[in-house]
Structure formats: C-alpha cells, structure tokens
Amino acid sequence: GDSVTQMEGPVTLSEEAFLTINCTYTATGYPSLFWYVQYPGEGLQLLLKATKADDKGSNKGFEATYRKETTSFHLEKGSVQVSDSAVYFCALSTGNFNKFYFGSGTKLNVKP
Amino acid sequence: GAVVSQHPSWVICKSGTSVKIECRSLDFQATTMFWYRQFPKQSLMLMATSNEGSKATYEQGVEKDKFLINHASLTLSTLTVTSAHPEDSSFYICSAKGTASQPQHFGDGTRLSIL
C-alpha cells in the first residue's frame, strides 16, 4: 500500500545551519507530495507541495524536489531560524478524494 | 485563504460519556472531509473519509460504532466519540476540501482527554 517514511528526530541545529529532512515514499500510481508543519498545540499547515516528477515546491526558504527515480521528497532549507522549530510531516496524496498518508513526523529544534 | 475551524479545541470529560467534535469550513463548500487521529509524538492516522450527504468510509481497524461521523451539510462535519474511555484520549484533526482539484485544509485539532 501507499506509505511515507521520513527520518526520525529530533533534529537539533544551531541558527543559520543547513537543514535536510529525508522523506521517501511508496505509492501506486502518481501521487502528489507535500510537506506540512505543525507548531506545538496546533493543527497542520501546508508548507509546500509538488504534484509531478521533477517539480520543486518552495515556501519560506524551504524547498523540496519530487524525485520519481529515487521516490524521494527531501525537505531542505539553507539557513534555519529559531522560529522554524516545529514538527515536519511528509505526506502523499492519491486517489479521487486525495486520501493522505503521513510520515511519522520529524521534530526540529533550532537553538539560538 | 481557506479556513477550517474545529470546536472545541480542548475537552476533558469523564469515562463513559460521549463527546462531539465539530469541523466547519468557513469560506468554502467542503464536499469531502477527513478525520485523523494523532497519538503523542506520532503521525496522523486517517480514521475516515466523509462525503456530504453520504455515509463515511472508515479505515481498517476504526470502529464505526465508536466514532460516529456525520457530514450533513457542505460546511459541517461532526465526529462523535461514543462512550469514551481513557484509551480514546488523543488529538483529533479534521481536514476539508472542495472540488477534486482543491487541496485539503486542516483544522487546528481537538485535544480530547478522558478521565
């Protein structure tokens, strides 16, 4: 079945460090891929998405490229800030009703 | 942008009671709504998919009689946890979407604590 695997956390970085959170997926058909961010006590916010192979999603300095050959959608940011501290979820969506499958989430802690 | 509102945001109740959680789409008509459950430090697990005016489709392992879902209008879906017990304590999140081409929008979640 469809599934998403992402690197376990927590990831602890210093401010202005480079961030990579790995995400790989398994899917039948051609899914859309997403990164969501969840701040403490809140719901999910869409960070970025890509709907087909080789698409690059980007937002707020974060970016991820849909790699069909490696079934990956790794999240990157060149210089993280303390305000980026949150839990990041990789997800895929497929089917007529866009059923979502989420990865386990990666907690990011950015220290000043 | 599109907003999905969940109510209540936090509820504490005694074991054996039933709890209703509302999910509303505020500025669009949600033809499909989804209910997720999130255990502490874990990912979201899809519980069920509901389409307006029809019965919800539950994921494998989710008890239909335990988690009653109603999607009576294009702007409101409700999840009722019947005869709640401590093991039902969790963070419940809904999402809603309009047409097939539109993305899902997530609510802020409801933290349910059963004593």
Side-chain angles (χ1 to χ4, degrees):
Chain A
D2 297 346
S3 67
V4 175
T5 302
Q6 63 182 101
M7 64 187 289
E8 291 188 18
V11 174
T12 301
L13 297 173
S14 297
E15 205 165 23
E16 299 184 1
F18 183 86
L19 168 71
T20 299
I21 301 178
N22 290 338
C23 171
T24 57
Y25 67 91
T26 301
T28 54
Y30 303 96
S32 296
L33 301 175
F34 305 79
W35 277 100
Y36 281 85
V37 57
Q38 184 179 37
Y39 297 100
E42 298 183 13
L44 273 67
Q45 299 176 27
L46 177 63
L47 182 60
L48 55 85
K49 67 177 182 179
T51 58
K52 60 184 187 297
D54 299 325
D55 270 2
K56 176 185 283 188
S58 61
N59 185 27
K60 300 180 181 179
F62 291 90
E63 59 181 34
T65 302
Y66 189 143
R67 301 286 189 198
K68 187 179 178 182
E69 62 276 14
T70 54
T71 62
S72 65
F73 193 56
H74 304 322
L75 182 68
E76 296 183 336
K77 186 174 186 181
S79 176
V80 294
Q81 305 300 313
V82 173
S83 57
D84 294 326
S85 298
V87 180
Y88 292 82
F89 291 94
C90 185
L92 70 82
S93 164
T94 187
N96 292 331
F97 299 115
N98 299 122
K99 185 181 291 189
F100 271 66
Y101 296 90
F102 287 87
S104 57
T106 302
K107 185 174 184 179
L108 171 65
N109 296 315
V110 180
K111 297 185 175 181
Chain B
V3 178
V4 173
S5 173
Q6 258 184 265
H7 179 80
S9 57
W10 198 316
V11 57
I12 302 173
C13 60
K14 294 182 180 180
S15 183
T17 59
S18 293
V19 180
K20 180 183 285 187
I21 302 169
E22 294 186 348
C23 179
R24 295 181 183 272
S25 58
L26 298 184
D27 57 358
F28 68 101
Q29 293 185 323
T31 54
T32 307
M33 287 186 168
F34 304 83
W35 287 95
Y36 297 84
R37 182 174 180 176
Q38 185 180 29
F39 291 99
K41 299 183 180 181
Q42 295 188 29
S43 187
L44 282 73
M45 300 299 295
L46 179 64
M47 299 174 66
T49 303
S50 73
N51 292 293
E52 185 267 336
S54 61
K55 290 184 178 180
T57 301
Y58 290 80
E59 295 298 300
Q60 191 172 8
V62 178
E63 298 177 60
K64 300 179 181 180
D65 296 332
K66 176 75 171 177
F67 301 99
L68 301 179
I69 292 172
N70 182 280
H71 191 169
S73 78
L74 285 171
T75 59
L76 174 65
S77 176
T78 60
L79 167 67
T80 301
V81 183
T82 61
S83 187
H85 292 284
E87 59 266 27
D88 298 323
S89 299
S90 194
F91 194 55
Y92 293 87
I93 300 177
C94 74
S95 70
K97 68 189 305 293
T99 63
S101 61
Q102 292 178 325
Q104 282 190 33
H105 298 280
F106 287 82
D108 283 341
T110 297
R111 187 163 302 285
L112 174 62
S113 298
I114 309 299
L115 304 178

